[in-house]
Amino acid sequence: RNDMNEEINSINQILPTADAGSDEYDDEGEKTRVIRTWIRSVLGKIIHYEAEHQHLLDEVATSLQLVLPQDIVMKNVLPFLDLPSYTFGVVDEEE
């Protein structure tokens, strides 16, 4: 999707203008904050698209169960439609 590509590429536009250093009141520089915000944004989109993808797969599986014999659906279709067991999670840090 274009918006995902734009989000991933946005760091190339933002990072060069961010201040690298930190000041006496702050332990991390602006670049660190920019990168953390960007990572959260990218992971948020990944989670959104993963959920959207799963919803579409569930719809397809339901439709196929209505037209195909049950043994074919159980042995061949449903295992193919399963997403990998890992998921992405975003942990909110207090800033």
Side-chain angles (χ1 to χ4, degrees):
R1 292 195 169 194
N2 288 338
D3 62 329
M4 193 66 193
N5 288 333
E6 288 173 11
E7 185 67 37
I8 290 170
N9 291 329
S10 70
I11 195 68
N12 296 326
Q13 309 304 316
I14 300 167
L15 205 53
T17 61
D19 183 27
S22 60
D23 58 34
E24 60 189 80
Y25 305 107
D26 193 0
D27 289 339
E28 62 184 36
E30 184 182 359
K31 282 194 189 283
T32 302
R33 284 191 298 276
V34 165
I35 291 168
R36 285 186 179 157
T37 301
W38 175 77
I39 289 171
R40 285 188 192 113
S41 178
V42 170
L43 285 176
K45 286 188 182 257
I46 289 171
I47 291 167
H48 168 77
Y49 288 125
E50 181 182 48
E52 188 177 290
H53 180 75
Q54 186 61 53
H55 176 74
L56 293 172
L57 289 177
D58 291 344
E59 285 183 11
V60 168
T62 300
S63 296
L64 289 173
Q65 286 175 337
L66 296 174
V67 296
L68 293 175
Q70 189 67 17
D71 63 326
I72 291 175
V73 172
M74 296 304 287
K75 292 178 184 175
N76 300 309
V77 176
L78 295 181
F80 178 75
L81 295 179
D82 281 340
L83 286 176
S85 60
Y86 61 89
T87 58
F88 296 98
V90 176
V91 177
D92 288 329
E93 293 181 17
E94 292 186 52
E95 297 183 37

